[in-house]
Amino acid sequence: ELAASPEAIRMLQNVCQISDEIDVESSNEPQVLAFRDKQWFTQDDFTDEDLWMHPQPYRPAYVSPNTIEALQYQMSLYVHPTARGDELMGVDHHSRRNIANAELRNVYTIFVKPLINPKITGDRDEDANLFAQLNDIMCVTNRVLDRFKGHLRQFIVDDKGVVLIATFGQRGATFPNMVTEKGLPATIAIFDALKIELDVNCHIG
């Protein structure tokens, strides 16, 4: 399923034909533009083969430096804090990359395996409950990690179950007494929060 915000839909209108079924003008909510084998937009004038053989560069109209800085800031909100800080401060990434490669650091990793069955049944109500439970697990874990200044590295759902991997010690999350004051308390807090708030047991280490 592909959903887009009202702003993104209005931008797509510059290069796509949007179906009349999509309320472009008055809706303030994200809308689904494609679902499995259906889509409610088509590209203008060129095909995928045309794009492959004759790429069309995007040539924006002139915008002021202040506008570019504002856009850069908005995009930076979706980037890791360390990279965001480097980008906004104009740091030379080539030299920083060499420094980063030479760093030796202690890293504390938490593996969390909630004891739930993530199998999709095909029943809309049961699957909706599963998705809500997975979302709650991620939100609770993220909240605890945010309190202790850790990072959620991965959230995996596959045929082997659900696994969350969190870390301390990566760039932007290194502290004195990191294990005793951050890592271990966060591990215990995640275990307790999942059990108390969601009644979900887990293996954690």
Side-chain angles (χ1 to χ4, degrees):
E1 182 177 275
L2 170 68
S5 66
E7 294 82 2
I9 293 174
R10 285 192 285 271
M11 292 178 67
L12 281 173
Q13 282 186 297
N14 296 325
V15 294
C16 297
Q17 294 292 331
I18 307 295
S19 170
D20 293 337
E21 298 180 42
I22 303 298
D23 185 2
V24 178
E25 300 300 329
S26 58
S27 175
N28 293 320
E29 299 294 332
Q31 299 183 74
V32 174
L33 295 181
F35 179 76
R36 295 187 178 176
D37 59 344
K38 298 179 180 178
Q39 69 179 55
W40 290 273
F41 69 96
T42 55
Q43 290 181 324
D44 284 342
D45 300 332
F46 41 76
T47 65
D48 290 339
E49 182 177 357
D50 294 329
L51 287 174
W52 176 260
M53 297 300 295
H54 306 287
Q56 301 293 319
Y58 175 63
R59 304 183 187 279
Y62 171 78
V63 291
S64 69
N66 289 340
T67 301
I68 293 176
E69 288 180 4
L71 290 172
Q72 182 186 33
Y73 172 75
Q74 290 176 2
M75 295 176 66
S76 73
L77 299 177
Y78 299 91
V79 179
H80 189 280
T82 301
R84 180 173 68 224
D86 291 351
E87 183 67 28
L88 294 179
M89 289 187 296
V91 173
D92 180 357
H93 293 280
H94 180 71
S95 61
R96 284 296 294 268
R97 189 180 303 114
N98 292 335
I99 295 174
N101 289 340
E103 286 179 334
L104 296 175
R105 59 176 64 244
N106 294 322
V107 176
Y108 181 91
T109 305
I110 307 172
F111 294 88
V112 186
K113 182 176 177 61
L115 301 180
I116 66 171
N117 180 10
K119 183 178 180 180
I120 295 177
T121 64
D123 181 273
R124 184 181 294 271
D125 293 333
E126 290 186 18
D127 290 345
N129 291 335
L130 170 63
F131 299 150
Q133 186 180 41
L134 291 172
N135 185 69
D136 290 341
I137 289 172
M138 184 173 70
C139 289
V140 168
T141 304
N142 254 332
R143 190 190 67 226
V144 174
L145 289 172
D146 184 63
R147 177 157 57 97
F148 288 94
K149 308 302 181 185
H151 295 152
L152 180 61
R153 175 65 180 84
Q154 286 184 304
F155 182 31
I156 306 168
V157 182
D158 57 20
D159 57 339
K160 298 179 181 62
V162 180
V163 175
L164 297 91
I165 303 175
T167 61
F168 291 86
Q170 296 187 19
R171 300 183 69 193
T174 300
F175 312 93
N177 305 318
M178 179 179 66
V179 174
T180 56
E181 295 184 5
K182 298 290 185 179
L184 287 174
T187 303
I188 297 170
I190 290 171
F191 181 89
D192 290 343
L194 291 176
K195 178 60 179 176
I196 294 171
E197 297 184 33
L198 304 179
D199 195 26
V200 172
N201 290 308
C202 66
H203 292 159
I204 188 168

